[in-house]
Amino acid sequence: MNFNKYLLVVISILLCLSCKPSSVVTDSDVEERQTGGVGTPSLDSISLADIATEKERQLLQYQGSRERKFDLIHTSLDLQFDYDSGFVVGQAILLLKPYFYDQEVLELDAKDYDIHEIWLQEGADRRPLASRYNQRVLSIYLPRHYTALDTLEVGVRYKAKPNENSGMGSSAITDNKGLYFINPHKVAGKPVQIWTQGETEHNSKWFPTIDSPNERATHDFKLTVEDRYITISNGKMESQKHNGDGTRTDHWRMDQPHAPYLAAIVVGEFAAIQDSLGVLPLRYLVEKQYEQGAKEVFKNTPEMIAFFSDLLGVDFPWPKYDQVVVRDFVSGAMENTTVSIFMEELNLDEREAIDSEWDYIIAHELFHQWFGNYVTLESWSNLPLNEAFADYSEYLWTEHKEGKDNADMQHIVALEGYLAEAQEKQEDLIRFYYEDMEDMFDRHSYAKGGRVLHMLRKYLGDEAFFASLNFYLEKHAYSSVEIHDLRLAFEKVTGKDLNWFFNQWFLASGHPVLDIEFDHSQPENVLLTVKQKQDFNTTPLYQIPFKVSWYKGKERRETSFVLNQAVQQFALENGEATDLVLFDESKEILSESQTRFGREHFERQSLLSKAGIARYEALDSLSNNYPFDGDMALLFFEALDDSFSSVRELVLAKIRTNLDSLILPAEVEDRILAIAEEDPDNKVRSGAIELLNRVGPDKFAPLFYRLVNDSSYYVAGAALAAYLENESNNDRDDLAKRLLESTNIQMLVPLADYITNRKDPAMGDWFHSQLVRLNGESLYYFIGYYGDYFARMSELDHDPAIGRLFELAKSHPANYIRLAAFQAMFGFIDEEGVLEKVKELNAGERDEMVRDYQGFFLESYIDED
Ligand SMILES: [Zn+2]
C-alpha cells in the first residue's frame, strides 16, 4: 500500500500546527498522571508497582500473530451488488481444515452482515448449522469435532453492508468499508464504480473469511454485473456468462494461495490497454478519456517487472498483472495480488503524462507482488517486511532508470520524512505493542524501513544483499514470515551474524545523532572524531559501519570504519594532504548529524564531490548560511551546468531569490535562457522561466508567450504565469480567454490568479465549473483561488460559493480537500451565518487530525466571540 504523498505533506503541516503538548492524551499519559498523584510512598514501592503495572499493560496489549485454529483452503464467492442501498448480496462456500488441534466451532470474520443461511455442504446436501453472530464475528457450531485430517465445506448466504460503521481509518488508509460504491446513484459526470480495499482487515466487510495476514487461500469469485461494466479481480478470468437480463456473470479464479487482505474486485467502465512481458499479460485500466495518458504513465511496467525479476532472481510470481485507476480511492494505491489499484491522481491526459512522476508508486505496488503477496507478514507488527521493501523498491527503480543522484534525492526526502515524524514519536520498527493496527502505517514502517534496508545493502554489498533476498523469497514462498526469517536468510547466505544490526534497527526505536569533527592538524593523517549523542535511555548505542572519502583534486579515495563507541576517534592515514574530506558522502546512514564545517569546506564539496546529493547539500548550506556575495554567485553560476537536475533546479531558485544582490553576466543570462529552452528536465526549465521573469519580464515576454504552447505543462504553466503577471503585455486578456478551456492545474492557477486580480465579475461560472470538474490534488490547489475570487467580488452573490465550499468541507471523501474547503470559508467569515457553518463543520468532522487542525484555525475566532 502506498500513501497519497501529497496528503502526507498536508498532514505534516497539520502535525506541526497541532503539536500542542496537551492535544493528545494517551492511556499511558493518564496512567503517569495517576501514579504521579499518589501521595509520597517510598521509592521502592513506587518503582515496583509502576513496573508491575507497566508489564501488565504490555501483556494485555501484546499484538502477536493470530492463532491459526483453522486453515482456510479455498473460498468460492457468488456476488451481486445493490447500488441503491450499498449492499453486497452474496453466497460464500469455504473449504477449511483444522490447523492442528481438534475444533468444533468455526469463527469467521464477517463485519456488518445480515446472515440468511449457514450450512455444512455434504456432497449435494446442505445441512443447516447453528451459529451466533455479534456483527463482527460469526461463530458456527459444527456437528462434531473435526481433526486436522478432516476437511469441511461451510456455506454462508448473506447481505454485507460495507457502509455501516465506516469512517475509521489511518493516515495511509482513510476508511474501513472494505468495499466502496462510487457514485452509486449514477449522477451524470462521474463514473460509477465499485472497488475494494482489503488492507488491513477490511475484506471481511464484504465476504466472510479468516481475515488475518497469516492465513492464505485460493479462491474463485463469480461477479454478476450490468453488461456495460467490466470486472477485474485476482488471478485469471475463467469464463463470462450473459444472463439474458442485461447482466453478465464473470468468473475469476485465483489458483495460487494468498492472504485474504489481498483479494480485490473492481467493477466499472474502463478502457483496457493491453501490454505484455514475454507471456505475462499486462493491462492498464483507466477511464476512457485517460487512455492515451495511461499508455505513457504505465509504459515502464514491463521493464520494471523484468528489472525486479532479475534483481531478485524470482520471476513475477503471478499469472497476470493489472493496474487500475479508480475514483475516490482511500489510499495512494494498493497492491492486491495481480491487480493493483491506484488513486485518481494517476488519471492523466496525453499532455500531462509527458511529465508523469508516478513511477515510484508503480514500482512500490509492483514490488509488493513479491514482498507482501508472495511472502507475507504474519502479523501487522511485522509491517516493515512489506512496506520497507516496497518503499526501498522506489530507490532501486530510480537508481536503475534515472541514476544514483535522483535515487539519493528520494532517499533524503524519505529520511527527512522519518526524522520529522521522529520528533513526534519514536517506535520500534517491529512493534508488538500498538493501539490500532492502522497505526503501523506510518513513516517508520515505510521511510525508516526503506533506509534501514539501504544501510544493510551498503554494508553487505549488492551481490550478498540480493542473493539473500532471493533465498528469503524462495524459502518462504506462499508463506508468512516474521522479522527473524529475514535476518536468518541474510545470515545463512552471507555467513555473517546480523543480530546486532536487526536488534538496533528493527527491534529498537530511535536513531543515531552524530557529532562529526575532523582534525587536519596532521595533513597526512586526518583524525575523525565521532560522538553518538542520542538519548541512551531510549535509544541504542549504535554499531555503525561507515565510509570516509577524500579528494585530492578530482581524485577520490575512500575507506571504511566501524563506529561502536559513544565517542570514537579514527585515523584516515591518508598520506598526502587532501583538498576535501567527507563523512558518509552519499548519506547512507540513517542519522541526524551535527557538523561544524565552514564556508570553504562547502565550497570545495560543491566543486569536488562526485555525489550529486553532496553537491546539493553543499550549495544549499552555503546559500542558507552565508551572504550571497560575488564569490558565492560565481559558484552558483558554475553549478548551472551541474549534471544533477535537482542541483540545477536549486541553483536557479537561489539565484532568483538573491537576484537583487547580484550582477548577472550576459553569458550567464544566455545559459539560463538555454536551460529554459532545452533542459532535459521540465521542472528545471520551469525554474529557469521563473528566474528569467525576474531578470527581464519585458525582454523575455516573447519567449514566455511562445512557451505557453510548450508540450510540458510545467513549462507552459510557468510561462503563462510570467506573461500574465506583466502589466505591459497588452494582449493578456486575449491570451487568458484563449486558454480558458485548459484543464491542467498548472495552467488554471495562473489563469485564476489573473482573473481574480482583474476583478472580472463575469467569471463566476468559470470558477464554479472548474470546482465541479476538478478532483484530487488539482482540486486542492484550486479551492483557495476559488474562495479568494468570490471573497474579493463584493458585487457577486456569495451564497452559491459558500454553499459549494460548505458541501466540499462537509462531505468530500478526501480529508485534505475537506480541510482546504474549510479554510477557504474563512474568506467569508464576517458574513452572516458563516462562523456558525464553520463551527458546525468542525463539530461534525470525523477525522481527528483534520478536526484538530480546524480547531486550531477556529480558535482565534471563538475567542473573539
Ligand atoms: Zn506499500
Side-chain angles (χ1 to χ4, degrees):
M1 166 157 355
N2 207 310
F3 294 87
N4 178 342
K5 289 197 175 171
Y6 183 67
L7 183 58
L8 273 186
V9 172
V10 176
I11 285 172
S12 59
I13 296 166
L14 303 190
L15 280 175
C16 292
L17 287 170
S18 62
C19 55
K20 293 169 288 182
S22 61
S23 63
V24 181
V25 179
T26 62
D27 287 351
S28 57
D29 288 339
V30 173
E31 251 161 64
E32 268 169 37
R33 283 176 207 162
Q34 284 167 347
T35 46
V38 180
T40 49
S42 77
L43 264 178
D44 280 353
S45 68
I46 278 191
S47 55
L48 284 177
D50 280 359
I51 291 167
T53 310
E54 176 59 19
K55 290 199 181 236
E56 282 168 5
R57 191 181 64 83
Q58 287 201 354
L59 273 184
L60 285 173
Q61 283 194 355
Y62 173 68
Q63 305 282 359
S65 53
R66 199 192 290 197
E67 182 183 351
R68 301 199 59 191
K69 295 180 179 170
F70 278 89
D71 181 13
L72 179 62
I73 301 162
H74 186 84
T75 304
S76 291
L77 287 186
D78 208 328
L79 302 181
Q80 292 177 29
F81 307 95
D82 182 343
Y83 286 78
D84 285 335
S85 34
F87 297 155
V88 179
V89 180
Q91 173 176 292
I93 300 200
L94 287 75
L95 178 68
L96 314 106
K97 69 186 260 316
Y99 187 82
F100 182 83
Y101 296 106
D102 293 1
Q103 303 291 344
E104 57 179 341
V105 181
L106 168 64
E107 289 184 343
L108 296 177
D109 297 290
K111 297 176 187 129
D112 304 310
Y113 294 7
D114 288 345
I115 303 287
H116 301 310
E117 189 184 355
I118 300 167
W119 68 91
L120 188 68
Q121 191 80 37
E122 295 178 313
D125 294 336
R126 288 181 170 195
R127 175 167 167 182
L129 294 176
S131 67
R132 206 181 48 192
Y133 183 45
N134 63 6
Q135 293 299 312
R136 313 310 292 164
V137 177
L138 177 61
S139 305
I140 300 173
Y141 301 101
L142 303 173
R144 61 176 175 86
H145 278 276
Y146 283 80
T147 76
L149 299 174
D150 295 320
T151 56
L152 64 157
E153 244 183 332
V154 171
V156 182
R157 210 158 54 71
Y158 64 97
K159 185 192 283 173
K161 302 172 176 177
N163 293 331
E164 266 182 31
N165 294 308
S166 70
M168 275 109 73
S170 63
S171 53
I173 318 143
T174 55
D175 211 331
N176 60 351
K177 293 182 189 178
L179 184 143
Y180 295 76
F181 289 90
I182 302 306
N183 191 18
H185 303 300
K186 306 182 181 171
V187 178
K190 185 172 184 180
V192 177
Q193 299 175 344
I194 293 171
W195 44 258
T196 59
Q197 168 55 44
E199 196 172 20
T200 49
E201 298 178 2
H202 307 316
N203 272 342
S204 47
K205 288 281 281 188
W206 56 281
F207 68 93
T209 188
I210 298 171
D211 204 349
S212 177
N214 59 351
E215 180 55 74
R216 53 177 66 227
T218 55
H219 57 72
D220 70 289
F221 294 169
K222 286 180 182 161
L223 310 172
T224 299
V225 299
E226 276 180 59
D227 254 334
R228 63 190 168 121
Y229 298 134
I230 68 167
T231 69
I232 306 141
S233 186
N234 316 96
K236 290 200 130 178
M237 168 103 73
E238 192 170 79
S239 65
Q240 289 190 304
K241 190 176 108 221
H242 291 273
N243 301 319
D245 58 353
T247 69
R248 193 185 70 247
T249 302
D250 291 350
H251 192 178
W252 286 88
R253 182 174 289 281
M254 179 68 190
D255 277 335
Q256 293 152 281
H258 67 154
Y261 78 89
L262 295 166
I265 58 175
V266 180
V267 180
E269 290 178 289
F270 295 97
I273 297 151
Q274 312 278 345
D275 203 346
S276 64
L277 173 67
V279 295
L280 179 71
L282 308 172
R283 292 190 305 170
Y284 321 129
L285 299 114
V286 292
E287 293 165 39
K288 184 73 188 161
Q289 72 265 35
Y290 301 113
E291 187 173 2
Q292 293 310 315
K295 286 180 186 168
E296 185 68 22
V297 172
F298 291 102
K299 71 174 179 192
N300 288 331
T301 306
E303 185 186 341
M304 221 182 258
I305 297 177
F307 170 64
F308 287 151
S309 299
D310 199 42
L311 206 55
L312 300 169
V314 177
D315 282 344
F316 183 81
W318 316 100
K320 63 100 169 148
Y321 190 49
D322 288 333
Q323 297 176 92
V324 195
V325 182
V326 302
R327 287 290 185 104
D328 298 345
F329 198 51
V330 283
S331 166
M334 176 65 204
E335 70 274 14
N336 316 287
T337 313
T338 80
V339 47
S340 286
I341 298 178
F342 295 87
M343 61 180 171
E344 68 206 64
E345 274 74 2
L346 278 79
N347 274 331
L348 303 184
D349 67 28
E350 200 175 359
R351 187 173 163 196
E352 288 170 327
I354 292 170
D355 293 325
S356 171
E357 292 174 323
W358 293 119
D359 261 19
Y360 82 87
I361 203 169
I362 293 169
H364 180 113
E365 306 315 320
L366 176 61
F367 213 56
H368 272 310
Q369 301 295 323
W370 287 268
F371 292 92
N373 301 9
Y374 191 52
V375 171
T376 310
L377 43 73
E378 67 169 20
S379 68
W380 303 112
S381 302
N382 286 280
L383 189 66
L385 288 177
N386 283 13
E387 295 303 346
F389 282 101
D391 184 278
Y392 193 50
S393 75
E394 300 170 24
Y395 184 96
L396 293 171
W397 171 252
T398 306
E399 184 184 29
H400 166 77
K401 189 68 180 171
E402 298 172 18
K404 187 173 185 315
D405 285 345
N406 279 329
D408 284 344
M409 186 52 105
Q410 282 185 352
H411 167 74
I412 293 299
V413 170
L415 171 62
E416 285 175 352
Y418 157 72
L419 290 175
E421 187 176 84
Q423 293 188 345
E424 302 287 325
K425 64 168 186 180
Q426 297 192 358
E427 306 274 2
D428 298 353
L429 273 194
I430 307 301
R431 270 170 266 176
F432 293 103
Y433 303 96
Y434 54 74
E435 277 180 37
D436 187 328
M437 57 185 86
E438 309 293 346
D439 296 346
M440 290 295 300
F441 292 81
D442 60 6
R443 296 189 212 174
H444 282 64
S445 294
Y446 287 71
K448 184 181 184 187
R451 309 306 44 86
V452 169
L453 291 176
H454 189 58
M455 281 187 293
L456 189 55
R457 174 185 169 199
K458 293 297 166 187
Y459 170 60
L460 296 173
D462 279 10
E463 206 177 320
F465 182 76
F466 293 112
S468 302
L469 294 187
N470 171 270
F471 179 82
Y472 168 78
L473 287 169
E474 289 190 343
K475 180 172 167 66
H476 300 289
Y478 302 115
S479 58
S480 47
V481 282
E482 58 185 310
I483 191 65
H484 304 298
D485 293 315
L486 184 68
R487 173 177 56 81
L488 291 168
F490 276 105
E491 291 183 344
K492 173 87 182 165
V493 169
T494 64
K496 282 180 185 288
D497 173 74
L498 290 168
N499 248 319
W500 60 274
F501 184 93
F502 278 69
N503 283 346
Q504 68 186 18
W505 291 115
F506 284 104
L507 298 167
S509 65
H511 54 264
V513 178
L514 303 179
D515 184 283
I516 314 291
E517 199 164 10
F518 286 106
D519 174 355
H520 292 268
S521 54
Q522 295 171 272
E524 74 291 348
N525 186 17
V526 176
L527 295 179
L528 162 67
T529 305
V530 185
K531 294 179 190 151
Q532 299 197 42
K533 299 179 78 174
Q534 63 275 16
D535 178 356
F536 297 127
N537 286 313
T538 55
T539 312
L541 176 70
Y542 288 90
Q543 178 173 333
I544 304 173
F546 69 93
K547 298 180 197 107
V548 174
S549 48
W550 62 90
Y551 288 83
K552 179 73 189 172
K554 290 276 177 189
E555 196 189 327
R556 181 180 185 279
R557 301 278 297 279
E558 181 181 270
T559 188
S560 301
F561 297 102
V562 176
L563 173 72
N564 51 17
Q565 297 169 20
V567 180
Q568 204 166 351
Q569 202 167 57
F570 304 89
L572 263 58
E573 296 174 352
N574 44 299
E576 57 175 341
T578 66
D579 295 326
L580 173 70
V581 184
L582 295 170
F583 172 86
D584 188 29
E585 186 175 9
S586 289
K587 314 285 161 212
E588 289 164 8
I589 301 167
L590 196 171
S591 67
E592 287 176 77
S593 54
Q594 301 165 351
T595 58
R596 277 169 290 274
F597 300 136
R599 175 169 176 163
E600 199 190 340
H601 172 94
F602 285 121
E603 283 173 357
R604 289 183 185 186
Q605 182 174 333
S606 79
L607 290 168
L608 292 177
S609 176
K610 294 188 194 307
I613 196 72
R615 296 196 301 278
Y616 185 100
E617 179 202 34
L619 290 164
D620 198 36
S621 300
L622 282 171
S623 58
N624 289 338
N625 297 310
Y626 300 96
F628 211 98
D629 54 21
D631 287 346
M632 177 95 75
L634 285 179
L635 207 60
F636 274 68
F637 295 158
E638 194 166 330
L640 284 168
D641 290 319
D642 199 286
S643 60
F644 183 20
S645 61
S646 296
V647 167
R648 297 195 300 280
E649 205 181 334
L650 174 79
V651 165
L652 289 164
K654 295 292 184 182
I655 294 177
R656 181 163 53 86
T657 46
N658 293 288
L659 199 59
D660 292 342
S661 57
L662 292 177
I663 299 160
L664 208 59
E667 67 272 17
V668 173
E669 195 178 298
D670 288 347
R671 176 72 192 114
I672 296 165
L673 184 60
I675 292 175
E677 293 271 20
E678 63 207 20
D679 194 277
D681 186 304
N682 288 327
K683 276 191 173 166
V684 176
R685 290 181 67 199
S686 120
I689 291 166
E690 287 171 25
L691 172 52
L692 291 176
N693 188 35
R694 287 290 316 281
V695 172
D698 292 335
K699 181 177 176 185
F700 296 107
L703 171 78
F704 301 150
Y705 192 85
R706 176 162 55 81
L707 290 181
V708 163
N709 298 315
D710 195 87
S711 58
S712 160
Y713 276 121
Y714 279 130
V715 174
L720 179 63
Y723 196 84
L724 291 180
E725 231 175 76
N726 183 355
E727 289 178 9
S728 6
N729 295 328
N730 315 320
D731 51 354
R732 290 188 299 165
D733 274 349
D734 292 341
L735 179 63
K737 205 169 285 171
R738 176 157 72 77
L739 293 168
L740 281 180
E741 299 295 310
S742 301
T743 54
N744 182 274
I745 191 67
Q746 311 278 354
M747 306 296 273
L748 292 176
V749 163
L751 285 172
D753 201 34
Y754 177 69
I755 293 167
T756 303
N757 288 327
R758 298 279 287 172
K759 295 198 170 181
D760 181 351
M763 295 304 291
D765 285 346
W766 182 81
F767 275 96
H768 287 315
S769 68
Q770 297 299 340
L771 194 77
V772 171
R773 192 185 58 75
L774 291 171
N775 45 47
E777 285 177 30
S778 300
L779 177 58
Y780 174 84
Y781 281 117
F782 193 76
I783 283 172
Y785 290 94
Y786 177 89
D788 199 28
Y789 172 79
F790 285 102
R792 289 223 239 158
M793 290 303 134
S794 48
E795 62 269 55
L796 292 183
D797 179 10
H798 289 175
D799 286 351
I802 294 170
R804 284 185 162 101
L805 288 173
F806 180 77
E807 204 39 53
L808 283 174
K810 189 179 172 190
S811 15
H812 197 279
N815 57 4
Y816 64 100
I817 300 283
R818 292 201 300 280
L819 192 54
F822 177 89
Q823 225 166 317
M825 289 189 68
F826 280 80
F828 310 93
I829 200 73
D830 295 330
E831 300 186 20
E832 200 190 330
V834 175
L835 183 60
E836 284 63 40
K837 279 199 162 80
V838 171
K839 283 185 192 164
E840 181 191 332
L841 287 168
N842 181 234
E845 175 58 49
R846 59 186 189 276
D847 185 316
E848 189 184 327
M849 198 148 35
V850 175
R851 202 168 53 238
D852 284 353
Y853 179 68
Q854 289 176 339
F856 172 82
F857 222 71
L858 254 173
E859 229 163 56
S860 55
Y861 290 90
I862 290 176
D863 290 347
E864 277 173 25
D865 240 16

